[in-house]
Amino acid sequence: MLPDDRVYAYSAVLMGSPILLKLFAHNESLASRVFRLIKQQENILTVNRPHSDIMAINLAAGSHAVAVSQPVFTLIQRAKAVSLLPDSAFNFTIGPLVKRWKIGFSGNSVPPASELQALLPLTDPRQVILDEQAQSVFLQQAGMEIDLGAIAKGYIADVVRDFLRQQGVEQALINLGGNVQTLGASHSNPADTTPSGWAIGLKTPFAAADALIGVIRVVNKSVVTSGVYERYFQHQGRCYHHILDPRTGYPLDNELHSVTVICDDSIDGDIYTTLLYGMGVEQGLAHLANVPQIEAIFVTRDRQVICSSQRQFAFELLDSRYRLK
């Protein structure tokens, strides 16, 4: 709790990440219900629980279709559509590659190229058959695995936002370990009627957890960051990170250290951090010129901070080693 601002903070560890909820009223009951809601969603969408909907689909790969709930089916529909975009770096059937690399889960060696090549045919999103009438999902090849890790946190953040709104909450912040969703604005003083944006730190890559390049201020927006420094290992002087290129099976290799997306819905933030990472700065900026509801901040290896625009947020540079463009 920050008594000067009358902000009450509640935390838990869920989905393998520290979860933070900020409210403007002391309400442990509401915080408990939020964390319970997150846990329920995690149990449905994870690949790390034996009885989740996603595990049921994966275990039936090559055998039979599995009927799932409407929200899960809709989420899988969305994930498949994004995976089928031309040259998409987003691929929800990338599960076999993620499991083989194990980056962030004790993986610290480079798999043989022959193994990665053998797994690529199992990562074809066109082989996921969706039956809308039966609300069922069928993976055509045995060994296929869908992985909603690149979209689940954003979806859950939006579910929490909608739940808080239903409870009459007008100002709040939920941080699901890199996925931040805000309601309303923050006020530096309860007597101050002028809204001020929630302050969200942009992390310095490969630095201490509290080291910031700058601060992003938003009102009623989602902020999602994905970076190569989150889960990685070093091998023979090279960094192997968790953002895999579904076209090659290897980590994406370009000029970027991180991509941050600012938009209304956190699920769009999840999707676009991956899409933009695959595009790189130049192509990403060109793409965003036609998508005004999505904004991004690119952080490059040579310490440039490049904003697509600043219509929906304000950015303050704190680290003089970086250049703002």
Side-chain angles (χ1 to χ4, degrees), residues 8 10 21 23-33 167 169:
Y8 295 80
Y10 304 88
L21 172 67
L23 301 171
F24 279 84
H26 180 50
N27 195 332
E28 290 185 4
S29 173
L30 179 60
S32 294
R33 282 183 285 159
Q167 302 304 307
V169 176

Side-chain angles (χ1 to χ4, degrees), residues 244-277:
L244 301 180
D245 186 341
R247 297 158 290 198
T248 67
Y250 287 90
L252 278 162
D253 187 17
N254 59 22
E255 76 275 37
L256 287 168
H257 267 166
S258 71
V259 176
T260 298
V261 170
I262 299 94
C263 55
D264 287 341
D265 295 328
S266 197
I267 190 172
D268 291 331
D270 261 352
I271 290 169
Y272 268 91
T273 51
T274 304
L275 290 178
L276 294 171
Y277 219 103

Side-chain angles (χ1 to χ4, degrees), residues 52-234:
S52 75
D53 282 6
I54 305 306
M55 275 303 295
I57 294 167
N58 291 344
L59 290 172
S63 173
H64 58 86
V66 174
V68 296
S69 65
Q70 177 65 59
V72 173
F73 186 81
T74 301
L75 187 59
I76 289 172
Q77 270 186 318
R78 180 83 185 275
K80 179 178 179 179
V82 177
S83 299
L84 291 174
L85 292 173
D87 297 318
S88 175
F90 186 104
N91 186 337
F92 82 126
T93 60
I94 204 168
L97 288 169
V98 172
K99 182 178 281 189
R100 179 59 188 88
W101 279 94
K102 292 185 285 193
I103 299 174
F105 301 93
S106 77
N108 57 7
S109 61
V110 180
S114 58
E115 287 190 30
L116 297 179
Q117 283 298 315
L119 291 174
L120 283 175
L122 297 176
T123 63
D124 182 359
R126 293 169 298 182
Q127 294 192 50
V128 180
I129 308 304
L130 304 180
D131 184 330
E132 241 181 305
Q133 189 169 358
Q135 287 190 5
S136 66
V137 184
F138 177 46
L139 310 184
Q140 287 187 300
Q141 279 197 72
M144 288 184 71
E145 294 185 23
I146 61 175
D147 186 340
L148 298 179
I151 198 173
K153 278 187 179 180
Y155 169 78
I156 295 172
D158 293 338
V159 168
V160 170
R161 174 202 59 194
D162 295 344
F163 170 74
L164 288 171
R165 283 178 175 164
Q166 289 168 6
Q167 302 304 307
V169 176
E170 297 179 355
Q171 294 169 261
L173 178 146
I174 181 77
N175 185 346
L176 273 64
N179 286 68
V180 179
Q181 180 60 276
T182 67
L183 278 78
S186 169
H187 292 271
S188 58
N189 186 307
D192 182 5
T193 57
T194 304
S196 59
W198 288 100
I200 298 161
L202 178 59
K203 288 186 177 181
T204 304
F206 304 106
D210 59 350
L212 300 179
I213 296 174
V215 173
I216 306 162
R217 291 193 177 273
V218 296
V219 175
N220 226 29
K221 295 291 178 183
S222 166
V223 179
V224 179
T225 297
S226 186
V228 300
Y229 54 86
E230 293 168 332
R231 298 195 300 274
Y232 69 96
F233 67 87
Q234 299 277 356

